Amino acid sequence: MVNWTAPAELAKEHAGYVNSTFAFFGLYIWEVFQTSDFELSVLTGRRKIRWHWVIFLFLCRYCLIFAVVALMASFSIMGRIDCQALYTFIAWAGNMSLMCASTTLMIRTIAVWERKLAITVPLGVLCLGLWAILWRGIFIMTVQYDATNMVCVVTNTNRVFLSVTFWATMGFNLVLTVVHIVGLMQRDHGASLWEMLFDDGLIFYLIAFIVNALPAVTHVIQTNDPLNQVPAAVLTAMSACRTVTCLSEVGDDEDLYVHNATQIIAAPRPPPQTAIRLQTTKSSRFPPRPEVHVTTDHIVMEDFECVPSSSAPPSP
């Protein structure tokens, strides 16, 4: 049986915690640069801006950067600082990223269900409850500066409430995953599992649920679980942002399966081959839209025969 409170075990896990934090921060920065064309298209006006991008997507993407940067800064303290304020900011930015990530997933699920009140109201109530729990979780730690080792030390925390935040986040993501699956099955009866996972974005919901289940389970079995918190936050934010930056936007006036590149405002041009391929592959899954065909007749001068003039005098 591993003694999780042994000094050697604590030192080993702290080293792993520091290394994993830097590794996942690098992964997240790479992800932000990979999808930075989304922000550029919004800033340059090539893409129509939507309210939930500004409120939830951008907060999710960049609050996590601030949280992880502040956490990495706490690993290399060179003098006395206000550790309580630093860790409160880390908790605020990290929890804000998680709240916005879950809300982003919820908005897409509601859009798949075509904003039905029977789905929107319960999910909205659950989301408000999650926001309240995570907001309260910002202020459950007491952190002090250790002058001997020149580090910030967590002297007190509410482990029960911390466990509640883990399970609440995992449970809400599980509810979103199940509701999203049911909505996709009702909307698209002929979709295969592969299409639901990657074309419809179900894989992002599964990732968000699984990575949040790890810290919830490890916290219950009384292990030292900080090692799982940064990876869970990073992968959850990446998955939620991918549902917006890489999948099509779901709306009343748009086709669910038209790639989001076709929503960029530009000069009229023939549709790209990728858009044609996506539309042809989905034609069997959705009935065709109503179309109006107009037939016109064009009459040009070439259609008239040349008739000799009758006013010419007869020949003798």
Side-chain angles (χ1 to χ4, degrees), residues 223-234:
T223 61
N224 299 323
D225 53 5
L227 190 64
N228 299 318
Q229 296 180 16
V230 174
V234 168

Side-chain angles (χ1 to χ4, degrees), residues 147-169:
T148 304
N149 299 317
M150 299 182 65
V151 295
C152 292
V153 180
V154 179
T155 58
N156 185 30
T157 185
N158 190 338
R159 288 189 59 88
V160 175
F161 195 86
L162 186 61
S163 181
V164 170
T165 61
F166 292 152
W167 283 95
T169 306

Side-chain angles (χ1 to χ4, degrees), residues 233-249:
V234 168
L235 294 177
T236 301
M238 289 173 59
S239 300
C241 293
R242 281 273 177 171
T243 61
V244 178
T245 59
C246 295
L247 296 179
S248 61
E249 181 68 16

Side-chain angles (χ1 to χ4, degrees), residues 15 24 48 63 95 113 126-127 133 139 144 152 168 178 210 218 224 247 262 273 293 298 313:
F24 277 89
K48 296 184 296 183
C63 279
N95 284 10
W113 280 88
L126 291 177
C127 186
I133 292 173
F139 311 101
Q144 295 181 353
C152 292
V178 174
I210 293 173
T218 55
N224 299 323
L247 296 179
T262 61
Q273 295 298 323
H293 297 273
H298 296 276

Side-chain angles (χ1 to χ4, degrees), residues 93-205:
N95 284 10
M96 181 63 68
S97 178
L98 287 176
M99 289 186 286
C100 292
S102 297
T103 306
T104 301
L105 294 174
M106 181 196 70
I107 291 174
R108 184 169 183 88
T109 301
I110 291 174
V112 168
W113 280 88
E114 299 176 349
R115 299 175 178 85
K116 294 181 179 179
L117 289 180
I119 299 297
T120 303
V121 173
L123 290 183
V125 172
L126 291 177
C127 186
L128 289 176
L130 178 66
W131 273 67
I133 292 173
L134 291 179
W135 186 266
R136 178 63 182 88
I138 299 173
F139 311 101
I140 62 174
M141 291 187 302
T142 303
V143 188
Q144 295 181 353
Y145 177 75
D146 185 358
T148 304
N149 299 317
M150 299 182 65
V151 295
C152 292
V153 180
V154 179
T155 58
N156 185 30
T157 185
N158 190 338
R159 288 189 59 88
V160 175
F161 195 86
L162 186 61
S163 181
V164 170
T165 61
F166 292 152
W167 283 95
T169 306
M170 183 201 70
F172 184 67
N173 290 333
L174 176 61
V175 171
L176 290 179
T177 303
V178 174
V179 175
H180 195 75
I181 292 174
V182 175
L184 291 175
M185 293 177 65
Q186 289 188 357
R187 187 185 184 109
D188 184 7
H189 299 281
S192 64
L193 179 60
W194 183 267
E195 290 172 331
M196 291 179 63
L197 284 174
F198 297 100
D199 292 345
D200 302 332
L202 181 59
I203 185 65
F204 301 126
Y205 286 80

